[in-house]
Amino acid sequence: MQTKVIKELIHAEPSLHPVTIMGWVRSFRSNRFIALNDGSTIKNLQCVVDFENFEEEVLKKVTIGAALKVEGTLVESQGQGQDVEVQVSKLEVLGEAHPDDVKLTILQPKRHSLEKLREQAHLRVRTNTFGAVMRLRSKLAFAIHEYFQKNGFYYMHTPIITGSDAEGAGEMFRVSALDPKNPPLNEDGSVNYKEDFFEKETNLTVSGQLEAETYAMGLGKVYTFGPTFRAENSNTSRHLAEFWMIEPEVAFYDLDDNMDLAEDFIKYVIQYALEHCEDDLEFLEKRLLEEEKSKPQNERSEMTLREKLRFVLENNFVRVSYTEAIEILKRSKPNQKKKFKYLIEEWGADLQSEHERFLVEKHFKCPVILFDYPAKIKAFYMRLNEDEKTVRAMDVLFPGIGEIVGGSQREERYEVLKQKMEAMDIPEEELYWYLDLRKFGTCVHSGFGLGFERLVQFVTGMGNIRDVIPYPRTPGNAEF
Ligand code: 4AD
Ligand code: MG
């Protein structure tokens, strides 16, 4: 007796050897054809029962959502849509799913809105769409590790609880073990965190970068891949309060090396998905085409999902300085005609997602890497250019997504970094260890952060970031 997963069986040769399969019922037609899915692939396995040979009581329990154990032989399929099917000899209902209960859930086989599916996030992975998205998410995570491991990077784990604010933006979730009803107070009435668990103020990390830099100074090439947390009140289709970030950090890399790495890395993982996730991508591509039918013609995409992925592989990312980008945006039609919500008037303006998307989708029609941003709108750790106005920052912008990567060459000069920290009110006593790196064998180095969910969005074509992570955390929502 062999227990096999459906992914293997659908490509196997018919055989007299009995097989055992376990999975969940997707449909049961004519009291004869069970479509069984076990999550190993988007495809269902057709299991054929001769109802004369089975007890009616058992067959009654074969309903949508029920868990089954099926034994039988793999035979050539008579019907269309599959090469092989299972001629069932034994059938066991492992777990029933009562039709009256199922009716109230998204397991009910009909079109449900993505919003509705989100409300039942504990069941949505049993739908074709979420099965496909979550298999891709897993494959992409593997491809990311494979890329770095093949290229001599070491995986490091950065702390999740930390005392520092890596981005200096103050968007942190506090971690405390104090009794909120009765916290110890200082004389001035403020909370005394010296009496807290860590004897200081702590928060969930917003980025592992600063710690990754310390390891790059010893291991050369490192990367992190972990959860990060941002208490920013952005209720958009691109923001989560808890998301996963990949952060490589490399000693002796300058900004050009960093851009090369980002481009090569992104292309590798997209290529991997195309090669290893064909069935799921085919399904998601069709889903997207369906979804786009409800949009006006001019908002529909010119390319299918896989064409978009291949397009990224086949074209160089356009590299443009912030200053050039501002000139393009100033002269652009939506700016001239005041169609942008935030008009671009002068150098120094922070770019909004409408501007990023204009550059990528309308102007260059290609992924874009913007670099050398104004120092004022970027974090304290980025290397100051000779002009003393711009820093060696880079953002990778993607069609439909906007910013997918943010990174920079790091400020490696002790005095310059110290001055910048002072100017930006970053307390030296908290980051003495970060400054230390500039005292002991400092060197040019660079790195970036890729938002994993934004990558999964791009590859799966899902419009909302809440639909590419199992249990999204957003303002007002931490269900499950
Ligand atoms: O641009 P960010 O804030 O850069 C950093 O955190 C650097 N410390 C990274 C580094 O250089 N090591 O974030 C990096 C990426 C963004 O480009 C975006 O893809 C993603 O992380 N990201 C988010 N994804 C989902 N929800 C959010 N709230 C995100 N904020 C950033
Ligand atoms: Mg950024």
Side-chain angles (χ1 to χ4, degrees):
M1 188 72 63
Q2 288 173 295
T3 307
K4 284 227 164 154
V5 292
I6 292 176
K7 187 182 170 174
E8 295 170 291
L9 282 175
I10 50 173
H11 298 297
E13 291 294 320
S15 149
L16 292 175
H17 268 297
V19 287
T20 304
I21 316 111
M22 286 176 270
W24 294 270
V25 177
R26 285 294 177 85
S27 69
F28 187 26
R29 282 187 297 121
S30 319
N31 220 13
R32 197 171 161 77
F33 303 106
I34 305 170
L36 204 66
N37 190 281
D38 67 357
S40 63
T41 161
I42 191 147
K43 300 218 161 116
N44 299 328
L45 182 66
Q46 174 151 292
C47 303
V48 187
V49 288
D50 290 325
F51 51 85
E52 302 84 359
N53 303 338
F54 292 88
E55 277 175 47
E56 213 186 309
E57 277 312 299
V58 176
L59 289 181
K60 260 199 205 150
K61 291 179 185 165
V62 180
T63 55
I64 287 161
L68 299 191
K69 182 173 178 182
V70 166
E71 287 177 33
T73 47
L74 201 62
V75 298
E76 201 175 313
S77 176
Q78 305 299 312
Q80 280 183 340
Q82 64 272 323
D83 296 336
V84 290
E85 61 194 21
V86 171
Q87 186 64 49
V88 180
S89 55
K90 226 172 133 186
L91 184 70
E92 191 184 335
V93 179
L94 300 174
E96 294 176 44
H98 202 283
D100 288 348
D101 297 332
V102 167
K103 247 186 225 142
L104 305 174
T105 72
I106 55 156
L107 296 177
Q108 176 82 346
K110 61 168 213 182
R111 231 168 230 294
H112 302 282
S113 68
L114 291 169
E115 288 76 13
K116 179 102 190 158
L117 293 169
R118 245 170 256 152
E119 287 167 14
Q120 296 179 32
H122 59 306
L123 299 176
R124 67 179 178 169
V125 74
R126 301 197 203 184
T127 63
N128 283 331
T129 299
F130 282 87
V133 168
M134 295 308 159
R135 274 187 296 272
L136 264 154
R137 185 180 163 107
S138 170
K139 290 286 178 195
L140 285 167
F142 178 78
I144 286 164
H145 282 294
E146 189 175 81
Y147 176 84
F148 287 118
Q149 296 288 334
K150 271 188 179 169
N151 286 287
F153 285 72
Y154 295 104
Y155 179 32
M156 80 166 288
H157 297 107
T158 49
I160 290 174
I161 300 174
T162 150
S164 51
D165 178 5
E167 289 303 297
E171 295 168 329
M172 298 172 300
F173 289 102
R174 185 186 298 288
V175 174
S176 170
L178 293 177
D179 177 359
K181 285 202 208 96
N182 187 23
L185 299 179
N186 293 313
E187 274 173 13
D188 65 1
S190 60
V191 174
N192 182 1
Y193 287 102
K194 288 211 179 73
E195 289 191 28
D196 204 346
F197 188 92
F198 297 107
E199 299 177 9
K200 64 186 284 197
E201 281 191 70
T202 50
N203 51 274
L204 294 176
T205 186
V206 294
S207 157
Q209 177 197 322
L210 306 190
E211 291 89 351
E213 279 185 58
T214 65
Y215 266 52
M217 294 298 120
L219 296 178
K221 290 168 146 190
V222 297
Y223 70 104
T224 71
F225 187 168
T228 45
F229 307 86
R230 305 235 171 139
E232 53 183 333
N233 205 353
S234 307
N235 234 322
T236 79
S237 59
R238 314 265 174 266
H239 287 88
L240 290 167
E242 175 179 301
F243 64 100
W244 289 68
M245 185 151 60
I246 297 99
E247 298 184 273
E249 192 68 37
V250 194
F252 313 114
Y253 266 28
D254 65 13
L255 193 69
D256 288 320
D257 300 321
N258 204 25
M259 292 194 243
D260 291 344
L261 175 67
E263 183 167 346
D264 191 52
F265 162 57
I266 294 175
K267 286 180 171 171
Y268 181 90
V269 295
I270 291 178
Q271 173 81 39
Y272 186 96
L274 278 167
E275 281 172 15
H276 294 83
C277 309
E278 210 185 336
D279 293 344
D280 287 325
L281 283 175
E282 188 186 326
F283 173 84
L284 290 167
E285 182 169 285
K286 284 196 195 129
R287 192 202 74 86
L288 199 58
L289 281 173
E290 277 300 311
E291 191 182 74
E292 294 218 320
K293 278 188 192 153
S294 63
K295 287 187 185 168
Q297 194 79 36
N298 63 345
E299 283 177 30
R300 293 184 203 166
S301 170
E302 288 161 29
M303 286 187 255
T304 67
L305 180 60
R306 279 175 295 179
E307 279 167 356
K308 278 189 229 167
L309 301 183
R310 277 187 220 107
F311 182 84
V312 168
L313 299 184
E314 287 157 10
N315 291 280
N316 292 332
F317 297 5
V318 182
R319 301 182 186 191
V320 195
S321 73
Y322 167 90
T323 304
E324 288 170 78
I326 284 290
E327 285 309 312
I328 293 167
L329 287 167
K330 259 200 220 160
R331 289 193 307 260
S332 72
K333 250 197 206 155
N335 205 55
Q336 307 262 325
K337 296 200 167 163
K338 305 208 180 328
K339 288 272 156 62
F340 282 144
K341 190 164 164 226
Y342 298 89
L343 293 179
I344 297 287
E345 269 147 16
E346 55 193 79
W347 191 94
D350 203 353
L351 298 185
Q352 304 296 324
S353 109
E354 57 179 345
H355 309 126
E356 297 176 342
R357 294 187 64 167
F358 173 83
L359 290 170
V360 175
E361 289 159 31
K362 299 279 176 336
H363 190 83
F364 291 106
K365 295 189 175 10
C366 183
V368 172
I369 309 184
L370 286 188
F371 62 92
D372 284 352
Y373 281 75
K376 281 211 178 99
I377 59 171
K378 288 290 183 187
F380 70 96
Y381 50 70
M382 299 189 181
R383 194 184 195 282
L384 196 62
N385 276 313
E386 304 310 310
D387 63 12
E388 306 215 327
K389 268 180 16 187
T390 59
V391 285
R392 300 244 78 190
M394 64 159 203
D395 277 2
V396 181
L397 312 180
F398 256 46
I401 304 287
E403 180 190 334
I404 195 164
V405 160
S408 67
Q409 186 176 317
R410 317 306 188 189
E411 183 53 75
E412 84 284 13
R413 297 164 297 182
Y414 183 84
E415 285 304 330
V416 182
L417 181 61
K418 208 171 134 160
Q419 274 167 26
K420 273 187 91 178
M421 284 172 57
E422 261 167 38
M424 294 189 175
D425 276 333
I426 314 275
E428 199 185 316
E429 16 359 310
E430 255 171 45
L431 287 182
Y432 68 92
W433 51 274
Y434 188 68
L435 275 162
D436 261 4
L437 298 180
R438 281 73 186 164
K439 280 203 243 168
F440 307 116
T442 193
C443 66
V444 166
H445 64 286
S446 303
F448 62 80
L450 170 92
F452 184 50
E453 283 74 20
R454 293 194 188 173
L455 173 75
V456 182
Q457 266 192 290
F458 182 72
V459 175
T460 58
M462 299 301 283
N464 194 315
I465 199 162
R466 293 166 177 80
D467 298 328
V468 297
I469 186 165
Y471 297 104
R473 269 74 181 101
T474 51
N477 179 37
E479 187 77 10
F480 305 102

